[in-house]
Amino acid sequence: MSIDATRWAWTAQVKNSSQRLVLLSLADRAGEEHTAWPSIERLAKDTVLDKKTVQKVILELIKLGLVEATG
């Protein structure tokens, strides 16, 4: 877990609570290099959001420039 990533996630300019929740879940799983690769299923379980909602939110976070897809 990266404390820096978690602190940043709390202050990032998101548009709704789902975005904040997914961002916090990603930050919670980030390493010291601020990278994380949790599955959609893991994020859905962590956030209690539907898998399709998690996928939609991740795309929103990418468009906002808050996360980067690494393929």
Side-chain angles (χ1 to χ4, degrees):
M1 170 170 73
S2 169
I3 301 233
D4 292 336
T6 301
R7 285 183 183 152
W8 170 81
W10 275 113
T11 61
Q13 295 297 309
V14 297
K15 298 191 183 255
N16 58 53
S17 58
S18 295
Q19 290 176 358
R20 173 83 67 215
L21 193 56
V22 171
L23 197 59
L24 283 166
S25 183
L26 285 166
D28 187 54
R29 299 192 175 280
E32 291 305 313
E33 300 294 321
H34 300 150
T35 56
W37 298 278
S39 67
I40 297 299
E41 185 174 291
R42 178 77 260 171
L43 291 172
K45 192 177 245 186
D46 287 350
T47 61
V48 194
L49 294 171
D50 183 80
K51 290 179 193 177
K52 288 186 180 189
T53 302
V54 170
Q55 290 172 320
K56 178 178 130 301
V57 169
I58 289 173
L59 290 175
E60 292 169 356
L61 293 172
I62 291 169
K63 286 181 184 176
L64 288 171
L66 297 173
V67 297
E68 184 177 321
T70 60

